[in-house]
Amino acid sequence: LKRLMNSIRINLLVTIFIAPYVFPTRGFVPKFERLLTEKFQQPVHIGSLAGRLLPTPRLDFIDVSIGEANQIKAQLARANFSAFTLLSDHKTISSLELVSAQLDGLALQEISTWLQNAAADKQYPIAKILFNEGKLDGNGIQLSAVGGELNFNSTGNFSTAKLFANENKLM
């Protein structure tokens, strides 16, 4: 019995650590595209999907675009969750990281509205959006290495916003 219990524990640990890397996720992409299209109230395209449970749960959306004219494009959009939120009805996203995102500078007001709508979602609210190595492009002006953090209150409104250009380059 002791050997059986040890074997079950080992198999469970192997499954928890390895399954996210070998589990086929391609079939889930259309479902997430529909869910995120509703959340952002804009068309969303996802190239591929990956995820993990440990040490903290997260979903990685690879090659993402949001908006009719791709006003937001990101190489990676990572949704981070706490383990406890997976057990609740409201799956709070502790942070949404946008890596190598390109934002259309002419659509910033629209993008701001989309992000607030997404943060205010009742079932999957977003507490914080982080930008890393992004670009802001509009009217021939391009800011590179843009980063920042947008924090939202429980109603989806901005509570704080910090944006910066790491390299302070204007191209």
Side-chain angles (χ1 to χ4, degrees), residues 75-86:
Q75 287 180 0
L76 172 68
R78 174 171 287 154
N80 296 296
F81 305 86
S82 79
F84 298 111
T85 200
L86 297 177

Side-chain angles (χ1 to χ4, degrees), residues 60-132:
D60 289 343
F61 304 96
I62 296 121
D63 294 326
V64 176
S65 65
I66 303 172
E68 292 284 339
N70 298 327
Q71 289 93 328
I72 301 174
K73 292 188 282 187
Q75 287 180 0
L76 172 68
R78 174 171 287 154
N80 296 296
F81 305 86
S82 79
F84 298 111
T85 200
L86 297 177
L87 303 173
S88 70
D89 291 337
H90 296 77
K91 311 284 190 253
T92 300
I93 299 168
S94 56
S95 68
L96 177 64
E97 299 175 54
L98 299 176
V99 179
S100 295
Q102 295 179 337
L103 303 176
D104 180 349
L106 299 176
L108 281 180
Q109 191 165 359
E110 288 176 277
I111 291 170
S112 171
T113 301
W114 303 345
L115 296 178
Q116 288 183 71
N117 287 339
D121 184 272
K122 298 294 183 207
Q123 189 172 8
Y124 300 99
I126 300 172
K128 179 188 317 184
I129 296 177
L130 304 167
F131 297 94
N132 287 316

Side-chain angles (χ1 to χ4, degrees), residues 5-105:
M5 291 304 290
N6 284 338
S7 175
I8 289 172
R9 285 184 193 132
I10 290 170
N11 286 333
L12 181 61
L13 285 174
V14 167
T15 301
I16 288 172
F17 282 103
I18 294 180
Y21 299 102
V22 297
F23 187 75
T25 57
R26 188 75 192 142
F28 292 102
V29 169
K31 180 181 178 180
F32 277 105
E33 285 178 332
R34 284 190 300 276
L35 178 73
L36 292 171
T37 294
E38 286 179 28
K39 185 176 190 66
F40 285 97
Q41 299 175 2
Q42 288 296 314
V44 173
H45 171 73
I46 301 167
S48 61
L49 175 69
R52 72 171 195 201
L53 293 173
L54 296 173
T56 57
R58 76 175 187 211
L59 284 173
D60 289 343
F61 304 96
I62 296 121
D63 294 326
V64 176
S65 65
I66 303 172
E68 292 284 339
N70 298 327
Q71 289 93 328
I72 301 174
K73 292 188 282 187
Q75 287 180 0
L76 172 68
R78 174 171 287 154
N80 296 296
F81 305 86
S82 79
F84 298 111
T85 200
L86 297 177
L87 303 173
S88 70
D89 291 337
H90 296 77
K91 311 284 190 253
T92 300
I93 299 168
S94 56
S95 68
L96 177 64
E97 299 175 54
L98 299 176
V99 179
S100 295
Q102 295 179 337
L103 303 176
D104 180 349

